[in-house]
Amino acid sequence: MSTLEVTFVSADRTVWSGSAAQVVVPAADGSMGILPRMQPTLAILERGAVRIIGEDGEVTERAVDGGFVSMDRDVVTIAVDHADRATAAR
């Protein structure tokens, strides 16, 4: 099974790093799901929640105010100024 290698960083720390099955981000054009073997992608993020679904199904969710995401060859990089724990499951 293919996985994504994800690095999620804010200005002052690494928020999350590891292998994931799926990532969902609040892109400027709407919610965007990222899966293994997708075309290379670069997108601006807006206010919303970044959701990372780990290989084991565990969900990590953080609220962000903006940033960017890039994906190429199953390597995902998410960079934001600030990331907080999301307030409630959606």
Side-chain angles (χ1 to χ4, degrees), residues 59-71:
V59 177
T60 300
E61 190 169 302
R62 298 289 185 268
V64 299
D65 288 329
F68 78 89
V69 61
S70 70
M71 195 281 267

Side-chain angles (χ1 to χ4, degrees), residues 4-50:
L4 300 166
E5 287 304 315
V6 181
T7 302
F8 180 11
V9 297
S10 67
D12 61 346
R13 66 189 171 96
T14 298
V15 177
W16 196 92
S17 182
S19 296
Q22 179 181 4
V23 176
V24 180
V25 296
D29 292 336
S31 182
M32 180 173 75
I34 300 172
L35 298 168
R37 298 190 210 138
M38 286 182 61
Q39 292 290 330
T41 302
L42 178 63
I44 295 172
L45 302 182
E46 295 196 342
R47 179 176 290 203
V50 170

